[in-house]
């Protein structure tokens, strides 16, 4: 397993994982626990990051895979999408071993609440995020441990920005007959009627109780992203200015 710690142009520490058999690579910012790059063995980028992204410790990068915790969107009293994406995570130097037949190239990041965090959200926790890399796959496993003496509830999402071609050439399969909340229509609930989700205008939806597998098919690039999930019921989609992302969770 190859794990490197490097600094970017802004002096921020990043973890770089490289698949040892000539496979893909991934870059994770310790600030925000955010995956900002995922490349194939041929060096082709798979994640979108805005050209206007700000590289500074006080702000998450716009793009990649953002951690939304302990609140998703504006569905609560905290800042939109919670504070985890604006906190410095640490590396677990002695992480648990991978499961049998699991990916052996991985890193575990840890987030614990600061005193300031406890003032705005008074619940103690340990958030463990494992980022694991395969030849042509990327896995993110999130575990939230309650270290408090009282129960609490939270919402969570992996706000994932995929790099795609012309949005009109993209379709999403696996959401047929799923109910969704349309954020462009005052969060009204509808049922997906089509065999696949396509885009000819702005879309901002949260799909409820989605299947374990969703496929994003980019016809122009002849590429399919296959999204698999466990333990998270919902998914969301948003399209605007040639950008597509999925929220795996809630």
């Amino acid at each position: 397993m190859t794990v490197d710690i490097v600094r970017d142009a802004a002096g921020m520490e990043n973890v770089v994982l490289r698949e040892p058999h000539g496979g893909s690579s991934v870059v994770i910012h310790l600030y925000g626990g955010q995956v900002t790059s995922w490349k194939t063995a041929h060096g082709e980028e798979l994640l979108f990051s805005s050209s206007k992204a700000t590289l500074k410790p006080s702000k998450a990068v716009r793009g990649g895979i953002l951690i939304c915790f302990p609140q998703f969107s504006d569905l609560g009293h905290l800042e939109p999408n919670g504070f985890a994406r604006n906190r410095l995570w640490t590396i677990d130097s002695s992480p648990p071993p991978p499961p049998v037949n699991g990916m052996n190239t991985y890193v575990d990041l840890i987030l614990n609440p600061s005193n300031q965090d406890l003032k705005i959200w008074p619940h103690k926790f340990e958030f463990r995020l494992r980022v694991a890399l395969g030849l042509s796959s990327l896995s993110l496993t999130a575990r939230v441990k309650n270290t408090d003496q009282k129960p609490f509830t939270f919402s969570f999402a992996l706000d994932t920005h995929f790099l795609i071609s012309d949005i009109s050439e993209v379709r999403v399969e696996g959401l047929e007959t799923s109910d969704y909340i349309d954020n462009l229509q005052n969060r009204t609930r509808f049922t997906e009627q089509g065999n696949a989700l396509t885009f000819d205008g702005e879309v901002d939806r949260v799909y409820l109780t989605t299947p374990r597998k969703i496929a994003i098919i980019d016809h122009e690039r002849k590429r399919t992203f296959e999204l698999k999930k466990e333990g998270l019921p919902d998914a969301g989609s948003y399209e605007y200015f040639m950008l597509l992302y999925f929220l795996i969770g809630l």
Side-chain angles (χ1 to χ4, degrees), residues 72 156-160 162 172-176 178-183 190 192 197 203-216 227-238 244-250:
F72 168 63
F156 161 74
L158 297 174
D159 183 352
T160 306
F162 292 101
V172 181
E173 297 182 351
L175 297 174
E176 55 271 15
S178 296
D179 286 354
Y180 64 87
I181 304 298
D182 194 327
N183 291 321
F190 298 95
E192 181 60 55
L197 176 63
V203 175
D204 188 352
R205 301 172 180 174
V206 175
Y207 283 82
L208 309 173
T209 317
T210 55
R212 289 183 58 186
K213 184 172 72 173
I214 299 171
I216 304 173
L227 284 64
K228 298 180 181 179
K229 62 170 185 171
E230 292 183 4
L232 297 172
D234 306 326
S237 68
Y238 170 89
L244 172 69
Y245 73 70
F246 263 73
L247 311 176
I248 307 305
L250 185 60

Side-chain angles (χ1 to χ4, degrees), residues 5 8 11 18 24 29 32 56 67 70 75 78 91 99 102 120 126 132 166 169 177 180 184 188 198 205 207 214 238:
I5 307 297
D8 59 24
R18 294 182 178 87
S24 55
H29 279 215
K56 59 182 181 180
I67 307 298
L75 304 177
L78 299 175
I91 300 174
I120 61 175
E126 179 188 84
D166 188 333
E169 296 294 325
T177 72
Y180 64 87
L184 299 180
T188 303
T198 57
R205 301 172 180 174
Y207 283 82
I214 299 171
Y238 170 89

